[in-house]
């Protein structure tokens, strides 16, 4: 999952980046309102965390402009003030939820998970497809009665597939949302991890294939 954090306090931005990356999110940073609005307009994100008190362009204006361009992206606002008027202004500008500083990474992660579920009403708390289940809160994956141990990137790849079932996902989409947006590693990284994931999902010789290659288009996961 690719998240944009718009926060001018670099120490807080670094804490958010480190903590959320440990929770298996890819994080892009912007340090002022203009940069944040620009990145939100040219890149595709799964969620935006937006501080209200930012330079160049205030958070309320940024929120309103992002929302006018993208009706569905979850926006979580941060405010240093425990002031109901600030919270109301943010929500009225199009934000979906808010957190007051100081905050914990655990709370931010929980709010993000809730927003992602809210953004797609079909997504339950635990994702499932065929006989595979994935719990975003515990990072536990099972197929039938078997627990599957995945690396961080394998887990992120599977979660992205399971949040977009029966959808053809291009290689560039997978690179953008599972790997760092500006990933410049070896060209076959997606193919390599698809191979790893297929192997781990095959917990018995009788298990059905779940991830399919659509030649020239990308990959899809279906039950």
């Amino acid at each position: 999952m690719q998240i944009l954090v718009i926060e001018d306090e670099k120490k807080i931005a670094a804490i958010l980046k480190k903590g959320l990356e440990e929770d298996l999110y890819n994080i892009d940073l912007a340090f002022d309102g203009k940069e944040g609005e620009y990145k939100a307009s040219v890149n595709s994100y799964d969620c935006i965390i937006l501080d209200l008190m930012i330079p160049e362009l205030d958070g309320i204006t940024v929120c309103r402009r992002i929302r006018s361009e993208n009706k569905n992206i979850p926006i979580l606002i941060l405010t240093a003030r425990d002031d109901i008027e600030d919270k109301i202004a943010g929500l009225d500008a199009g934000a979906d939820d808010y957190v007051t500083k100081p905050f914990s990474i655990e709370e931010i992660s929980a709010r993000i998970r809730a927003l992602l579920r809210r953004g797609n009403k079909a997504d339950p708390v635990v994702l499932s497809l065929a006989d595979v289940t994935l719990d975003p809160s515990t990072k536990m994956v099972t197929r039938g009665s078997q627990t599957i141990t995945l690396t961080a990137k394998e887990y992120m790849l599977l979660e992205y597939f399971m949040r977009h079932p029966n959808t053809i996902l291009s290689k560039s989409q997978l690179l953008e949302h599972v790997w760092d947006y500006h990933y410049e590693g070896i060209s076959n990284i997606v193919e390599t991890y698809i191979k790893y994931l297929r192997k781990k999902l095959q917990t018995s010789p009788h298990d059905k294939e779940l991830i399919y290659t659509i030649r020239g288009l990308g990959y899809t996961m279906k039950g």
Side-chain angles (χ1 to χ4, degrees):
M1 291 293 177
Q2 187 81 13
I3 296 176
L4 174 63
V5 175
I6 308 173
E7 167 63 69
D8 66 310
E9 294 186 50
K10 293 190 176 182
K11 184 176 180 180
I12 293 177
I15 291 171
L16 283 167
K17 180 176 173 65
K18 183 176 184 297
L20 292 174
E21 284 179 342
E22 289 177 355
D23 212 12
L24 305 184
Y25 294 105
N26 285 323
I27 306 301
D28 197 7
L29 298 178
F31 298 109
D32 62 61
K34 286 185 177 179
E35 182 186 15
E37 183 191 12
Y38 173 74
K39 286 190 172 183
S41 69
V42 299
N43 300 327
S44 175
Y45 297 104
D46 299 290
C47 183
I48 292 175
I49 299 175
L50 171 63
D51 186 16
L52 290 185
M53 302 296 291
I54 49 177
E56 301 295 335
L57 200 62
D58 68 270
I60 297 296
T61 301
V62 172
C63 183
R64 188 177 294 113
R65 291 183 181 181
I66 290 174
R67 179 58 71 221
S68 69
E69 296 295 326
N70 189 325
K71 301 297 184 185
N72 299 316
I73 189 167
I75 300 175
L76 175 66
I77 55 173
L78 304 178
T79 175
R81 305 175 187 172
D82 191 13
D83 188 333
I84 191 64
E85 291 183 2
D86 287 339
K87 297 168 184 175
I88 291 172
L91 295 172
D92 284 346
D96 298 284
D97 200 358
Y98 63 84
V99 174
T100 302
K101 298 177 184 178
F103 52 79
S104 69
I105 290 296
E106 291 78 12
E107 179 184 12
I108 295 287
S109 290
R111 298 293 184 105
I112 291 171
R113 290 194 298 272
L115 289 177
L116 291 174
R117 291 197 303 271
R118 190 185 307 171
N120 184 348
K121 298 299 184 183
D123 279 358
V125 175
V126 176
L127 305 178
S128 64
L129 182 64
D131 55 348
V132 176
T133 62
L134 180 151
D135 187 340
S137 65
T138 63
K139 305 298 185 288
M140 180 175 289
V141 176
T142 61
R143 182 162 195 181
S145 60
Q146 297 293 314
T147 299
I148 300 173
T149 302
L150 301 176
T151 66
K153 288 302 181 187
E154 289 167 352
Y155 171 88
M156 293 166 75
L157 181 61
L158 179 61
E159 182 182 12
Y160 194 67
F161 273 123
M162 293 186 71
R163 288 191 183 277
H164 302 84
N166 306 307
T167 301
I168 298 175
L169 301 173
S170 68
K171 180 178 176 180
S172 62
Q173 283 178 291
L174 295 174
L175 281 170
E176 177 181 338
H177 291 273
V178 177
W179 283 265
D180 186 87
Y181 187 79
H182 302 292
Y183 184 84
E184 296 178 353
I186 56 176
S187 62
N188 67 339
I189 190 73
V190 173
E191 293 88 343
T192 299
Y193 273 83
I194 292 285
K195 180 180 178 180
Y196 293 159
L197 190 54
R198 281 172 169 158
K199 184 176 181 180
K200 289 191 176 181
L201 289 174
Q202 199 75 21
T203 58
S204 80
H206 306 292
D207 282 343
K208 178 184 176 182
E209 182 67 66
L210 296 174
I211 300 175
Y212 298 85
T213 300
I214 309 300
R215 190 174 299 276
L217 296 176
Y219 303 89
T220 186
M221 184 174 182
K222 55 185 178 180

